[in-house]
Amino acid sequence: LMIRRPPRSTPSNSSAASDVYKRQDWDHAYFLHTEGFHEARLDTEQVEARIRFVEELLSIARRTVRE
């Protein structure tokens, strides 16, 4: 049995799968914050590879505020 991730364009905010992916987005955001900004250990490519996860968190926050 394969569990597939729902498309981001149709988020299910109450699903367990959605919670898992939000948690992963937070992990990426925290990593960028600590390793990229505080420790300055990341190069441009490493930041660019993770920025989409932060953008997804911002999108979720915007949708939540509008509700």
Side-chain angles (χ1 to χ4, degrees):
L1 176 66
M2 182 177 181
I3 299 174
R4 302 194 66 171
R5 179 179 182 173
R8 287 189 184 262
S9 61
T10 57
S12 175
N13 292 334
S14 62
S15 74
S18 179
D19 291 344
V20 168
Y21 291 107
K22 285 179 198 171
R23 190 168 34 252
Q24 290 174 353
D25 290 345
W26 277 110
D27 288 344
H28 284 285
Y30 181 77
F31 181 81
L32 281 175
H33 179 73
T34 57
E35 296 299 317
F37 300 114
H38 285 289
E39 302 298 330
R41 294 182 185 155
L42 302 179
D43 59 30
T44 303
E45 291 81 21
Q46 291 171 308
V47 172
E48 288 174 348
R50 291 175 174 86
I51 200 73
R52 67 186 174 98
F53 299 103
V54 176
E55 290 169 343
E56 177 63 20
L57 287 172
L58 289 171
S59 175
I60 292 168
R62 286 182 187 115
R63 285 193 305 266
T64 302
V65 168
R66 288 184 194 132
E67 292 177 358

